[in-house]
Every structure is written in structure tokens, then in C-alpha cells.
Amino acid sequence: MDLKEYIADIPDFPEPGVLFRDVTPLLADKDAYKEAIRLLVDFAKEKDVDVIAGPEARGFLFGCPVATELNCGFVPVRKPGKLPRKVVTKSYDLEYGSNEIQMHSDSIQPGQNVLIVDDLLATGGTVQATVSLIEQMGGNVVGIAFLIELEALKGRKLLTGYDVYSVLKY
Ligand SMILES: O=P(O)(O)OC[C@H]1O[C@H](OP(=O)(O)OP(=O)(O)O)[C@H](O)[C@@H]1O
Ligand SMILES: Nc1ncnc2[nH]cnc12
């Protein structure tokens, strides 16, 4: 099955010059969604994963099903002001704008093996910030998996030394 048929291309969203890769048609199709999760799980099951971390919001849509398939937990990486307890915070740049992400400061235990799952790798800023928070808490990043990689934006360059997998490359 060609999963690219389930990604909608939206020019100039959310701002002029950005070609937005919309995963909502894939999520809406039970077979395409299942196949996407199966491919992410195939990568993940080769790792000794204790917990999956996924950035808000679209990272939840792919990270949580992979976590239940792997029989491990899920830790949310959230936009500022959403988590109720003590947090660790990191700033990062996006293809459009900049932001901060937060994790609960006790969400990763020292020595835990963490797999990061997100829908899309663009500049790499979100995932680089996520790696930084996980390592600050003493976690080992054993892999990073995306549904989509936008190769022209060279996000992989920020992730040198990590095992990075993407299902679909553009
Ligand atoms: O590689 P980068 O340049 O960091 O970009 C990729 C990130 O951008 C998008 O999230 P966004 O912050 O738009 O949030 P959303 O999932 O809540 O829509 C996407 O889901 C990735 O997390
Ligand atoms: N081009 C893009 N399409 C969808 N999500 C994105 N996040 C960052 N860049 C994106």
C-alpha cells in the first residue's frame, strides 16, 4: 500500500512558502493508519525500549499506538503551561516560528531507554529539543522514528549519532 496517497499536500500553510504535509487522511483510513503503525513498530521492536516519548500534538497520534503495541509506556512532550507538575523546559526553532517544549522532570528515569516518535521531521528542532530534555533527565535515546521526513530541510543533520528512521521521505 502506498501511504503517500494518504498524505495531503497543502501549499502555503500555515504561512506562505510552507508546503504542509497533512497526515489527517492517513489517520482517517483504518488500513493506512494500521500500516503506518506497523512500520513504526517494526523499527521500534528491534530496540530495547522502556518508554516512548512523543511531542504534542501529532506525536501523540503515532507514539501512543506504537507504545501499546510494544507493551511499554508513553511520556508526553508538551507545549508550555500544559503539564501540572515540575517540568524541564527547552526552546527550539520550527520551520514556521519558534516554541518551547516541556516534560515532567520525573518522566524519564536515569538509565531508561527511550524511543522518540513523531509524525514529521522538518528542521529537526522539535526532536533535538526532545533529545536534550531526555538526556538531561539521564535517559538513553535508543532511536527516533517519524512517519514523514522532509529531506530538503536536513533535520537529520541535528540528529547525527542517533538511529533515525522515517517511513516516508519527501
Ligand atoms: O522538525 P521541526 O522543524 O521541529 O518540525 C516538526 C514538528 O512540527 C510539527 O509540530 P507542531 O509544532 O506544528 O505542532 P502540532 O503537532 O501540535 O501541530 C510536527 O508535528 C513536528 O512535531
Ligand atoms: N511542512 C510541514 N508539514 C507538516 N508539518 C510540519 N511541521 C513542520 N513543518 C511541517
Side-chain angles (χ1 to χ4, degrees):
M1 135 179 250
D2 182 4
L3 293 182
K4 281 190 176 176
E5 288 177 7
Y6 298 87
I7 307 298
D9 298 338
I10 317 295
D12 300 320
F13 182 87
E15 58 185 43
V18 175
L19 178 59
F20 192 84
R21 306 288 185 177
D22 174 21
V23 298
T24 61
L26 180 142
L27 293 167
D29 184 280
K30 66 181 173 57
D31 296 321
Y33 192 18
K34 189 177 287 181
E35 176 67 358
I37 299 305
R38 189 187 69 75
L39 291 164
L40 291 167
V41 168
D42 274 355
F43 169 76
K45 70 185 183 198
E46 302 303 322
K47 317 271 162 209
D48 184 17
V49 179
D50 294 316
V51 70
I52 291 184
E56 179 179 352
R58 284 172 268 156
F60 298 176
L61 301 170
F62 293 92
C64 290
V66 173
T68 61
E69 282 294 315
L70 281 190
N71 198 28
C72 67
F74 179 84
V75 167
V77 180
R78 297 218 61 180
K79 308 249 158 82
K82 300 287 187 184
L83 292 169
R85 296 184 292 104
K86 189 175 172 212
V87 293
V88 286
T89 303
K90 185 85 184 168
S91 300
Y92 64 101
D93 292 321
L94 272 178
E95 189 184 4
Y96 36 84
S98 68
N99 212 333
E100 277 184 347
I101 50 167
Q102 298 184 326
M103 298 174 74
H104 274 136
S105 58
D106 61 358
S107 58
I108 302 295
Q109 305 312 307
Q112 267 192 320
N113 287 342
V114 186
L115 177 78
I116 301 171
V117 177
D118 201 357
D119 70 319
L120 184 140
L121 174 63
T123 65
T126 305
V127 159
Q128 187 187 39
T130 301
V131 167
S132 161
L133 292 180
I134 291 166
E135 293 181 345
Q136 184 184 327
M137 289 184 275
N140 307 315
V141 176
V142 295
I144 309 174
F146 302 94
L147 178 67
I148 295 173
E149 176 175 358
L150 305 182
E151 290 184 301
L153 295 174
K154 302 196 187 315
R156 253 178 209 262
K157 272 196 167 172
L158 298 184
L159 307 175
T160 305
Y162 296 94
D163 190 357
V164 178
Y165 168 71
S166 53
V167 174
L168 303 174
K169 295 182 200 300
Y170 287 88

